[in-house]
Amino acid sequence: MIGISVALTLQREGHRVTVLEQAGPGEGCSFGNAGCVSTASVIPMAMPGMLAKVPAWLSDPMGPLTVRWRYLPRAMPWLMRWLLAATEARARHTSRALHALHQETWPGYRALLGPAQFDDLMQAAGHLYVWRAAELGAGDRLAQQMRDDLGIASQALSGDQARELEPALSQGIRTALLLPENGHTCNPERLVKTLAAAFVREGGVLLRRKVLGFDIGAQGPRTVYTDCGSYPVSRLAICAGAWSMRVARGLTGMAVPLETERGYHAMLRAPGVAPTRPIMDCENKFIATPMEHGLRIAGTVEIGGLDAPANFRRAALLAEQGRQLFPGLTYEDASHWMGYRPSTPDGLPVIDRSDRFSNVFLAFGHGHLGITEAPGTARLLADLVADRAPCIDPAPFAMTRFARGGGAAQRGVAAPDAAQASAVAKDARRSAASSR
Ligand SMILES: Cc1cc2nc3c(=O)[nH]c(=O)nc-3n(C[C@H](O)[C@H](O)[C@H](O)COP(=O)(O)OP(=O)(O)OC[C@H]3O[C@@H](n4cnc5c(N)ncnc54)[C@H](O)[C@@H]3O)c2cc1C
């Protein structure tokens, strides 16, 4: 999604663009996501109170968030950064940056797709968040306050009001929130393939190649080596999702902490219920999206790296949890999928020029929001390539924010340090006390 959006945008600005893609467009993480266009989703995963939940996550392999034990030592530095990002100040900083990036989402999709394809693929029916609890917990109340502070529209509903909108919902739902600015695509794979077809139709070159490495000179990469030939390069954008830091080896001076949050879906054909918009089960942490080929129930986070096999019991569990949300759900015909979210610990993508070579650009790390953020990312990256005033403040997306004691501190966001660790611990104590 990110690579094709960047390629199409750059091409329309007059650049000659070649895309090298090992599997075909829309076959990576962009294939099986929940398809949500979540402009109102500005709440990072790293939120105050997370530390208190870590023991439960580690002990339940089927919980909404799990870490594979064997992978834990490798994931530890990323997880530490993630926990350190979970203060209110940093969450608010992230949320403001996401809000700015999301301003381009709807106009950007209209421009990228054109009116006919936009109407065919995109729906702006809002999202419904639902809870069984009668009242929101502290974390959800803070999230709502953060959305309110940014002027994001939302409407609090009772369970009955939610069922008026979505009659298939369980009677157990007692609280809901309608986010009318959000929408969804009826098929994320087709969305990417449609944009790829436009890219080729308008003169772009799309090659099915695996990038293996580069010939790097003093001024940067000169040649790309692939599994089927090598190609000269004058400027390069790395948009390889969760694999981006593997692909970018040698092209950056510092390492970006990029991890994968593996997620799953169950795709249920002829599901017997017909919600009209994506519905987020905020307690079980999954989202059910109506798509042109059935109901997709997607979610869960599994920290397990890029090489371990999938655990499809997690996808099957999503389908079972879907039945608790929609008692009329049938799922005899279910297919299961796992994808690799490309995730940074602070929940913001990297959209930047390499710190090492001025002809290398980076656009990856979109985590839970790559479908939402593709148009904004492409716009900002095109500004960086053109060396013109950027459409939004690029600082929150700079790779150097991860430099030790570096960029972030200069821009007024404290880098992870002892003071921050103590703030995280304070948050954890507060949330442990409030849950007792
Ligand atoms: C369960 C789940 C639900 C989600 N729901 C949503 C949602 O509702 N809304 C939303 O906005 N986001 C959602 N996301 C997140 C979203 O799917 C991702 O952020 C997005 O797909 C990332 O896009 P990408 O282009 O960066 O990565 P990808 O789609 O993974 O693309 C990366 C591409 O790089 C290629 N590649 C890798 N290495 C090489 C190489 N060496 N040579 C050539 N090509 C290479 C791969 O083949 C791949 O096609 C969800 C994710 C998951 C897992």
Side-chain angles (χ1 to χ4, degrees):
M1 187 68 221
I2 301 300
I4 289 295
S5 303
V6 165
L8 185 55
T9 302
L10 288 174
Q11 178 167 271
R12 287 182 179 169
E13 295 209 346
H15 299 278
R16 276 179 36 230
V17 183
T18 298
V19 172
L20 303 171
E21 161 58 58
Q22 65 182 5
E27 301 289 337
C29 189
S30 306
F31 173 88
N33 55 71
C36 293
V37 179
S38 309
T39 49
S41 296
V42 293
I43 309 303
M45 287 285 287
M47 283 286 279
M50 257 183 16
L51 197 57
K53 298 178 186 155
V54 171
W57 293 338
L58 292 177
S59 62
D60 180 3
M62 298 307 277
L65 191 151
T66 188
V67 182
R68 287 205 176 185
W69 279 108
R70 269 199 197 165
Y71 192 71
L72 185 59
R74 280 191 62 188
M76 210 50 181
W78 187 93
L79 287 168
M80 285 310 296
R81 281 181 180 269
W82 191 50
L83 290 170
L84 289 170
T87 64
E88 186 171 334
R90 285 176 66 86
R92 281 185 181 275
H93 164 81
T94 299
S95 148
R96 282 191 297 274
L98 291 175
H99 185 54
L101 187 62
H102 295 181
Q103 296 312 298
E104 178 64 15
T105 301
W106 288 112
Y109 270 125
R110 272 189 191 282
L112 284 170
L113 288 163
Q117 301 282 16
F118 181 91
D119 289 347
D120 182 33
L121 278 155
M122 311 303 279
Q123 288 171 35
H127 290 178
L128 196 61
Y129 288 8
V130 299
W131 292 262
R132 287 156 194 85
E135 279 179 18
L136 300 189
D140 288 320
R141 284 202 305 276
L142 174 61
Q144 184 54 26
Q145 201 184 73
M146 285 162 64
R147 278 188 293 267
D148 288 346
D149 291 349
L150 290 167
I152 291 170
S154 65
Q155 193 185 346
L157 302 174
S158 66
D160 286 340
Q161 288 169 323
R163 278 180 291 279
E164 269 172 41
L165 288 179
E166 300 292 351
L169 273 175
S170 148
Q171 289 296 327
I173 296 303
R174 294 162 76 190
T175 311
L177 190 71
L178 180 68
L179 293 163
E181 287 174 20
N182 284 351
H184 68 285
T185 172
C186 60
N187 186 337
E189 180 199 5
R190 191 158 71 82
L191 173 63
V192 184
K193 287 184 163 48
T194 301
L195 293 174
F199 169 70
V200 172
R201 206 170 45 244
E202 294 172 26
V205 178
L206 173 60
L207 300 174
R208 194 158 178 158
R209 300 283 188 278
K210 177 172 179 150
V211 173
L212 300 176
F214 307 92
D215 169 39
I216 302 176
Q219 305 303 315
R222 296 177 293 212
T223 308
V224 185
Y225 298 124
T226 76
D227 55 350
C228 187
S230 50
Y231 300 87
V233 59
S234 56
R235 277 180 286 188
L236 189 70
I238 305 287
C239 319
W243 298 270
S244 294
M245 284 313 289
R246 284 188 182 178
V247 174
R249 199 168 295 140
L251 298 178
T252 59
M254 57 169 284
V256 172
L258 182 70
E259 195 31 91
T260 179
E261 294 177 75
R262 297 147 56 113
Y264 290 81
H265 87 211
M267 189 73 222
L268 313 173
R269 280 166 229 283
V273 293
T276 58
R277 55 175 66 75
I279 299 181
M280 166 80 122
D281 183 326
C282 295
E283 281 137 349
N284 290 316
K285 309 278 182 223
F286 68 80
I287 193 144
T289 306
M291 293 200 174
E292 61 189 5
H293 41 330
L295 185 66
R296 177 168 292 174
I297 305 199
T300 85
V301 169
E302 180 184 59
I303 306 290
L306 288 167
D307 302 313
N311 173 5
F312 285 114
R313 278 186 305 146
R314 294 180 72 80
L317 182 69
L318 282 171
E320 279 170 39
Q321 288 176 328
R323 189 128 74 180
Q324 291 164 22
L325 188 61
F326 306 115
L329 182 67
T330 52
Y331 56 89
E332 284 74 23
D333 179 13
S335 62
H336 297 152
W337 170 88
M338 190 266 282
Y340 300 93
R341 294 185 191 91
S343 299
T344 61
D346 63 3
L348 291 172
V350 169
I351 309 167
D352 201 0
R353 202 184 275 270
S354 158
D355 62 333
R356 184 161 186 208
F357 296 122
S358 61
N359 64 342
V360 175
F361 298 84
L362 312 168
F364 56 78
H366 295 77
H368 295 243
L369 289 166
I371 298 300
T372 307
E373 293 170 354
T377 298
R379 181 80 272 129
L380 179 56
L381 201 82
D383 290 343
L384 298 179
V385 171
D387 230 345
R388 63 185 171 227
C391 53
I392 56 170
D393 178 9
F397 310 103
M399 68 180 297
T400 49
R401 70 188 191 268
F402 296 114
R404 196 175 286 273
Q410 286 156 24
R411 285 183 295 275
V413 184
D417 59 10
Q420 211 181 331
S422 113
V424 171
K426 214 158 81 195
D427 274 337
R429 282 197 297 276
R430 207 184 302 142
S431 83
S434 71
S435 66
R436 275 200 284 273

